[in-house]
Structures are given as C-alpha cells and as structure tokens.
Amino acid sequence: MNRLGATVRTPNVPVQSAELRGFAGQLGRLIWRFNVAVNRALVVYREPVLDMQLIQERIAGAAMELFASTCTLSRWDSELQASQRNGNAASSDSSAPGLFLRQSFRRIRTFLDSSGNNDDKAILATADSVLGKTR
C-alpha cells in the first residue's frame, strides 16, 4: 500500500476466525490512526522531532502496543484454527487474550490521543525551571 493509500484506507488485518473479526477491525483502525499521528508529527515538527523525546515516547509506546496486539491476535487466531482442525470445539475461554487486546487498544488510543492533547509545554517549562534554564 502506498503512502497516500495508507492515509485514506484502514488496513485489513486478516484473521480466519469469524469471532476475531471485531478485534481485527479495531486493530486495523488503530494502525490507521497510528499512521496519521506519525505523519502529523513529521509534518508539524519536521527534523526537530528527532530530538523531541516526549513525542517519540508516545509513538514508541503505541508502536509496541500495536506489535503486541498483532502478535496476540495472530496467536489467538492460530489456536482457534488448530482446535477446529483437530475437531475440537473452539475454546470458550477467551478471557485472557480478549482482555489483553481490550487493554492494549485502550493504551494505544491513550498514546495517540495524547499526541495532540498533552502537557508537553508545561512539562518542559517545569523541567527548565528546575534546571535553571530559559528557552
């Protein structure tokens, strides 16, 4: 997918298990939001973003959560598919992976929301004050 297409379309997160399509859809939307947030940071801050650790922290946090969510969803889908191939009913205990995904999605949204709504200026002003610096 090219850069323009990635900013317009939500990526498809493929899963084989129908019961996971809701999680896959949410993950796809969060990946799209992550792409928009990173592109916005690059446009707004340009090269200085490389020195902006507060912004980098949010981007990195969201990226790690997206990765962990993708791994969890993939593993859960694989386990469901394996149990169906073996003729077993799908495990009804989906509490652990489902809880992890819901919490991870919440953390991703928090990271992404705070990229535009944060206390960065106050944090930096306080740090400068404590260190005796002026900007």
Side-chain angles (χ1 to χ4, degrees):
M1 184 179 292
N2 64 29
R3 279 180 68 90
L4 177 61
T7 60
V8 178
R9 279 180 251 135
T10 301
N12 178 41
V13 177
V15 290
Q16 295 179 2
S17 304
E19 59 264 39
L20 301 182
R21 289 198 182 114
F23 285 114
Q26 288 181 64
L27 183 57
R29 287 186 294 280
L30 288 169
I31 291 169
W32 175 82
R33 283 188 60 198
F34 176 77
N35 181 43
V36 170
V38 169
N39 283 331
R40 183 180 307 126
L42 291 173
V43 167
V44 170
Y45 301 109
R46 302 191 189 275
E47 281 187 28
V49 77
L50 299 175
D51 296 322
M52 298 175 150
Q53 293 179 8
L54 294 170
I55 294 168
Q56 291 175 10
E57 178 184 17
R58 287 188 282 274
I59 290 171
M64 289 184 289
E65 288 293 336
L66 286 167
F67 181 76
S69 293
T70 302
C71 292
T72 300
L73 187 61
S74 177
R75 174 71 181 261
W76 191 10
D77 191 35
S78 177
E79 288 176 355
L80 289 172
Q81 293 305 306
S83 69
Q84 290 173 356
R85 281 192 299 273
N86 292 333
N88 301 333
S91 172
S92 61
D93 185 18
S94 60
S95 58
L99 175 63
F100 175 83
L101 289 172
R102 283 189 294 280
Q103 290 179 331
S104 182
F105 292 170
R106 187 176 306 110
R107 287 187 294 269
I108 294 165
R109 285 190 291 273
T110 299
F111 282 124
L112 297 178
D113 291 344
S114 67
S115 66
N117 181 17
N118 56 60
D119 297 320
D120 287 359
K121 288 181 183 176
I123 291 169
L124 294 173
T126 302
D128 287 343
S129 173
V130 169
L131 296 173
K133 294 184 179 180
T134 58
R135 282 195 183 256

